[in-house]
Amino acid sequence: MSGQRLNGKRALVTAAGQGIGRASAIAMAREGAQVFATDVNMDALSTIRGENLENIEIFELNALDVDSVKAGVARANPDVLFNCAGFVHHGTILDATDDEFAFAMNLNVRSMMRTISAALPGMIERGGGSIINMSSACSSVIGAPNRMIYGTTKAAVIGLTKSVAVDFIKQGIRCNCICPGTVESPSWHDRVKALGEELGSYDKAMEQFVSRQPMGRVATAEEIAALVVYLASDESGFTTGHPHIIDGGWSGQ
Ligand code: NAD
């Protein structure tokens, strides 16, 4: 354990099997939280045991399934809820089907409605809590090519965040969301490979992703996890209802 900023807090993380969710579960545990790291992919999730952090408990939670969410929230009884589960659909509006739109809305937005409504009563009873939702710079912040469904769902996450923040501010609940630019993760590597096949060159695909970040690089999952720790901690006690943009200058030019 390296710090104590989250001592005494119980933190539930969805999609903690890899990428930003995994890095955030580890970072919060290193700051002293009792972390409940969950995912649908138990093979990926169990690799977190290799970190040798006694204060991380892992179990399966499917963010698409209301019973699974209720059981997971009851087990964790969280003070901090990090809703990280999400999926990137590729294409313009002309490539999108109704089913793809419904699936993305379900995983990227409705899953958060499920977890938040399950976790809020306990937070209210204890007099406070911090909810952190995963949005994206690609949302109402900025448009990105071939991200119609994704950007629409992530803009909805900002609306959901603001609604929860305003409705429960008097009960000590804070609700913020995170808007990253491109972040290195297993699914991002798959997206680079897929675009590489379309463009006939992996290097060209990588160049396209990297060039939209004015810093000339993508983020590490750990850089996003540091923001999650801040929003989970009492240090961020005066911020609620906001999208926190962390995008390597993508939207700030
Ligand atoms: P990732 O996409 O590589 O991993 C996603 C994880 O979600 C996997 O472990 C998967 O098993 C899990 N998952 C899938 N369906 C689930 C379900 N129904 N219930 C619970 N877990 C489920 O990880 P990532 O790229 O770090 O993305 C995490 C979040 O961050 C997503 O919401 C994504 O939209 C968002 N985000 C990512 C980037 C990026 O560039 N990587 C940028 C901005 C926002």
Side-chain angles (χ1 to χ4, degrees):
M1 211 180 288
S2 55
Q4 279 145 29
R5 288 190 289 165
L6 300 178
N7 264 3
K9 294 195 192 290
R10 298 164 66 86
L12 174 62
V13 183
T14 67
Q18 61 188 41
I20 299 165
R22 185 181 196 277
S24 301
I26 293 167
M28 288 197 283
R30 289 198 176 128
E31 287 294 340
Q34 176 62 39
V35 174
F36 300 84
T38 71
D39 202 289
V40 279
N41 181 343
M42 289 307 287
D43 286 341
L45 188 59
S46 57
T47 66
I48 226 166
R49 291 207 177 101
E51 299 293 320
N52 291 322
L53 287 160
E54 280 171 11
N55 50 335
I56 300 188
E57 188 177 320
I58 63 168
F59 60 85
E60 190 171 338
L61 186 156
N62 180 357
L64 294 172
D65 181 303
V66 73
D67 292 332
S68 174
V69 166
K70 279 185 182 160
V73 168
R75 179 164 169 179
N77 202 13
D79 310 296
V80 173
L81 170 63
F82 177 32
N83 284 315
C84 189
F87 172 76
V88 180
H89 173 270
H90 177 86
T92 71
I93 196 164
L94 297 178
D95 307 310
T97 68
D98 258 18
D99 284 350
E100 287 166 340
F101 189 85
F103 173 78
M105 282 302 282
N106 198 6
L107 183 57
N108 297 6
V109 188
R110 282 178 63 193
S111 69
M112 297 186 183
M113 189 189 81
R114 291 183 195 107
T115 52
I116 294 170
S117 51
L120 260 176
M123 290 179 174
I124 292 168
E125 204 176 297
R126 286 187 299 279
S130 175
I131 298 164
I132 304 154
N133 296 326
M134 180 52 84
S135 177
S136 172
C138 169
S139 57
S140 52
V141 175
I142 198 168
N146 289 306
R147 290 288 180 268
M148 187 284 289
I149 289 184
Y150 184 70
T152 303
T153 63
K154 294 299 189 181
V157 170
I158 296 176
L160 170 72
T161 300
K162 287 178 179 287
S163 295
V164 172
V166 77
D167 283 339
F168 297 96
I169 194 165
K170 299 289 188 211
Q171 283 101 320
I173 310 297
R174 295 187 298 112
C175 184
N176 290 286
C177 62
I178 296 185
C179 300
T182 306
V183 185
E184 189 161 5
S185 77
S187 74
W188 175 67
H189 279 292
D190 293 344
R191 290 192 287 282
V192 179
K193 263 188 238 151
L195 184 64
E197 276 160 29
E198 223 176 80
L199 300 176
S201 154
Y202 178 86
D203 289 347
K204 259 194 205 156
M206 182 61 89
E207 156 65 17
Q208 214 177 88
F209 272 104
V210 171
S211 66
R212 67 185 193 187
Q213 302 295 143
M215 279 187 189
R217 67 172 182 89
V218 300
T220 64
E222 288 71 24
E223 286 174 305
I224 312 304
L227 179 54
V228 174
V229 167
Y230 169 69
L231 290 174
S233 79
D234 296 338
E235 287 174 4
S236 62
F238 204 52
T239 183
T240 191
H242 273 292
H244 293 257
I245 298 170
I246 174 164
D247 68 354
W250 189 14
S251 66
Q253 302 297 295

